[in-house]
Amino acid sequence: QKGSDGNFIRVWDEAELFDRLMALVREDHPYKTVIIDSVTGLEDLFVSNILAVQPDKQKTMNAAGKGYASEWDTVRAKHGRVRKAAELLAERKGIHVIFIAHLDVDRIELPDSDPFSKYALQLNKKTSPIYINNVDVVAFLRQETFVVGDEGHKKAKTSGDRLVVVTMTPSGISKNRLGITQDLPFVLGENPFADYL
């Protein structure tokens, strides 16, 4: 939503976030897209709210609540409420919901292959599936990168072009249900999915 000054409304309060999402579900409005920027920041908000009410000896997520990292289940439930609101917006209002997340790199050690690194969402492992499972697209925006130079003196260079990766690869969590089989060019101000929706 945009405020009276034309800028997007920033929500800093958890209760206000859920109130605004449910207002979008219940009320008539012209909006066709809702963007949560970012679920990584949202997790920081949920965690800080939980830690703010803990006794002094429980000021980490591993110690909070009943201990044993049990409060991560509370964080997951809060993300679940956000996802449920998104589903209601899609079902009742036909609204596209976009979740933006920051990236992290995970080390994967499978029993039947050599270890490798993989891009992942910068979220707790209990939370990530909420934004990956049962969605139409998981996209990864990356700069086109080339490695140049001789052995021992290699450098990464970029053309500056950005690509939207939406296909499954071992190095990431990208996927789609729209039948897209190759990376999409990213052009500022244009919807890379316009031809597929």
Side-chain angles (χ1 to χ4, degrees):
Q1 288 180 313
K2 290 189 177 182
S4 57
D5 60 0
N7 292 320
F8 288 101
I9 295 173
R10 298 179 76 123
V11 177
W12 301 104
D13 179 78
E14 190 176 320
E16 182 186 358
L17 168 70
F18 291 118
D19 287 347
R20 285 188 180 278
L21 287 172
M22 293 317 296
L24 288 169
V25 171
R26 290 190 295 265
E27 298 170 7
D28 291 332
H29 53 76
Y31 303 116
K32 298 295 180 194
T33 305
V34 170
I35 301 172
I36 307 289
D37 182 6
S38 69
V39 294
T40 306
L42 201 54
E43 183 154 288
D44 291 342
L45 174 66
F46 295 155
V47 167
S48 65
N49 286 351
I50 288 169
L51 294 180
V53 297
Q54 301 300 314
D56 286 340
K57 293 181 181 178
Q58 294 176 296
K59 290 298 185 181
T60 69
M61 285 299 285
N62 286 339
K66 298 175 183 175
Y68 305 102
S70 61
E71 284 301 299
W72 282 113
D73 291 328
T74 303
V75 171
R76 187 182 194 288
K78 291 172 186 284
H79 281 288
R81 283 184 67 196
V82 173
R83 178 65 196 272
K84 181 62 179 174
E87 290 169 5
L88 291 173
L89 285 168
E91 291 168 13
R92 298 184 186 178
K93 301 289 187 176
I95 289 177
H96 295 284
V97 181
I98 298 170
F99 298 106
I100 295 175
H102 297 281
L103 280 180
D104 215 341
V105 176
D106 278 352
R107 184 77 171 154
I108 307 297
E109 296 189 16
L110 300 175
D112 57 351
S113 72
D114 292 334
F116 62 96
S117 295
K118 179 176 185 170
Y119 290 112
L121 301 184
Q122 196 178 92
L123 294 169
N124 182 269
K125 293 201 184 325
K126 289 186 176 185
T127 302
S128 288
I130 291 173
Y131 299 106
I132 295 172
N133 298 342
N134 301 313
V135 298
D136 291 327
V137 177
V138 177
F140 166 48
L141 183 64
R142 70 173 183 87
Q143 273 194 326
E144 199 166 25
T145 306
F146 310 95
V147 178
V148 296
D150 298 327
E151 197 64 42
H153 294 86
K154 293 186 177 181
K155 291 185 179 181
K157 300 272 187 179
T158 180
S159 64
D161 292 336
R162 290 179 283 178
L163 298 172
V164 182
V165 180
V166 294
T167 56
M168 292 182 69
T169 67
S171 63
I173 53 173
S174 306
K175 62 180 184 176
N176 76 89
R177 293 177 176 168
L178 305 178
I180 306 170
T181 58
Q182 59 190 15
D183 296 346
L184 302 173
F186 177 83
V187 180
L188 193 62
E190 294 183 13
N191 181 354
F193 302 105
D195 293 339
Y196 301 93
L197 297 175

